[in-house]
């Protein structure tokens, strides 16, 4: 910047007005925005007027200042006349904040008319889900014994500006039932509860105090057993890894999007009053269902078939074998977008695609193939399969984590030769395929040679 000025050039960025500079800095993390104060005198105090506080410490991040001191320092240095549009703090490791510090942060954010409050007090990355494929899984008993921070009552009283609330790894100090009129979050539109240590009646009261809620997420809450959600404006509901839940009733006439992560059997705890109105469904199975386990596969199929008007479907699984080898649902004729993620089975993919006559976009996140799929030749029926969407409606295919394994190559060859109406095929290479490497060159030339439709545009990228 100094060299440019000495050469006679103008510093156009610094010449921008303050409101535009603060808008630019609001798209950065707070620690990055603060560093701009060292650029020049012009930038020294610009960060104090940024309406966003976003402090997230990554696990591998080393910083001489604790995240507690970072948050307090940023709040003290801000221009108190400028409202806070969004307040987000997460990434604690060994420096969990005190109750007084949390109270100070929340009161400051609410006094500054914060619209978004995101406070995740999770220490590190320790999933509660017993099926998580990580080095540590905490049990429900371990979860209850943790030393939780408590969200103050001030957060749950009437707040005119708050629109989005996300809480993680904490307890709730709700107003007493006899003072129910003080428990009011009637402006809240989005609520996310992750690892909340609270009984069913407390969660029920909190959700019921949000009549304008349009999006609700409940994740890894092992103390939750039974809960009912009756919200007329709710459009999106997500339930993730609440394995101890016995019954979750959602009565929402406006509900259109549903997300579920858990076991196949656990999917039946979710009861909706509007299955036929759901147009977007995401199912993530975190426990394996054997291919010959007809009962679990039937349950999964029935879970999908309840949604008779689906336009977008995401199916994912983290463990093997894949749950895809089941008879394809008969209610996918209106499906426009389909995404598979996890262990793969080509024959099952074809079986499902036969019932998606109006499919437009197909995304395949190839984590790994089924062992049987990788060791056996391609079934003859794949070549002669009459997949209607290949001939008329499918215009974009996205293959992710492609590394050129035999089963992946058979899949790519099948798609390029059979999907003759596809306008675009996007291939995202796995990290094992180096950019500009000889392996990448061979994979690209091989895939181009399989191209049947010269109008199909093949694009390659890296993760």
């Amino acid at each position: 910047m100094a060299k440019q000025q000495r050469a006679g050039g103008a510093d156009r960025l610094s010449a921008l007005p303050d409101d535009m500079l603060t808008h630019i800095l609001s798209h950065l993390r707070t620690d990055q925005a603060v560093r701009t104060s060292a650029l020049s005198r012009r930038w020294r105090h610009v960060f104090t007027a940024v309406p966003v506080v976003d402090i997230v410490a990554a696990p591998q991040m080393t910083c001489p200042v604790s995240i507690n001191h970072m948050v307090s320092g940023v709040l003290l240095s801000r221009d108190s006349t400028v409202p806070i549009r969004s307040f987000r703090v997460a990434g604690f490791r060994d420096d969990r904040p005190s109750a007084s510090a949390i109270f100070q942060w929340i009161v400051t954010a609410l006094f500054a008319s914060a619209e978004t409050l995101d406070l995740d007090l999770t220490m590190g990355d320790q999933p509660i889900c017993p099926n998580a494929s990580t080095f540590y899984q905490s049990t429900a008993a371990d979860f209850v014994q943790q030393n939780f921070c408590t969200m103050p009552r001030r957060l749950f009283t009437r707040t005119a500006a708050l629109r989005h609330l996300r809480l993680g790894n904490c307890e709730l100090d709700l107003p007493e039932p006899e003072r129910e009129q003080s428990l009011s979050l009637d402006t809240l539109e989005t609520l996310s509860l992750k690892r909340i240590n609270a009984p069913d009646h407390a969660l029920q009261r909190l959700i019921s105090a949000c009549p304008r809620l349009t999006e609700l997420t409940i994740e890894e809450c092992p103390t939750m057993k039974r809960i009912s959600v009756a919200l007329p404006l709710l459009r999106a509901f997500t339930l993730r890894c609440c394995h101890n839940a016995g019954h979750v009733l959602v009565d929402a006439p406006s509900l259109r999007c549903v997300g579920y992560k858990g076991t196949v059997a656990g999917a039946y705890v979710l009861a909706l009053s509007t299955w036929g109105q759901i147009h977007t469904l995401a199912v993530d199975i975190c426990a394996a269902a054997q291919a010959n386990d007809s009962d679990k596969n039937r349950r999964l199929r029935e879970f999908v078939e309840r949604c008779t008007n689906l336009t977008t479907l995401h199916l994912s699984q983290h463990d093997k074998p894949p749950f895809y080898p089941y008879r394809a649902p008969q209610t996918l004729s209106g499906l426009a977008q389909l995404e598979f993620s996890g262990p793969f089975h080509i024959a099952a993919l074809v079986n499902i695609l036969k019932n998606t006559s109006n499919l437009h976009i197909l995304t395949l996140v190839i984590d790994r193939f089924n062992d049987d799929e990788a060791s056996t030749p391609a079934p003859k029926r794949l070549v002669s399969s009459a997949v209607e969407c290949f001939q008329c409606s499918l215009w974009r295919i996205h293959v992710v984590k492609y590394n050129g394994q035999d089963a992946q190559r058979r899949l790519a060859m099948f798609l390029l030769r059979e999907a003759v109406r596809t306008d675009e095929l996007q291939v995202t290479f796995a990290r094992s395929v180096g950019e500009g490497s000889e392996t990448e060159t061979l994979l690209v030339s091989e895939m181009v040679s399989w191209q049947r439709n010269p109008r199909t545009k093949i694009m390659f990228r890296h993760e």
Side-chain angles (χ1 to χ4, degrees), residues 239-261:
L239 183 70
R240 295 195 188 104
C241 296
C242 296
H243 298 293
N244 294 330
H247 184 70
V248 178
L249 174 63
V250 181
D251 183 9
S254 301
L255 191 65
R256 297 295 181 269
C257 304
V258 173
Y260 170 78
K261 181 179 179 181

Side-chain angles (χ1 to χ4, degrees), residues 162-200:
L162 193 62
R163 299 288 185 272
H164 312 282
L165 177 61
R166 303 180 186 92
L167 300 176
N169 216 84
C170 60
E171 293 180 336
L172 307 177
D173 183 15
L174 302 180
E176 297 298 332
E178 56 269 16
R179 301 182 58 189
E180 195 70 28
Q181 68 277 5
S182 61
L183 176 58
S184 177
L185 294 169
D186 52 3
T187 61
L188 209 62
E189 300 173 3
T190 301
L191 177 62
S192 177
L193 303 174
K194 178 180 179 181
R195 304 186 184 190
I196 303 300
N197 185 26
D200 292 342

Side-chain angles (χ1 to χ4, degrees), residues 252-274:
S254 301
L255 191 65
R256 297 295 181 269
C257 304
V258 173
Y260 170 78
K261 181 179 179 181
T263 62
V264 175
Y268 273 71
V269 307
L270 184 59
L272 305 181
S273 61
T274 56

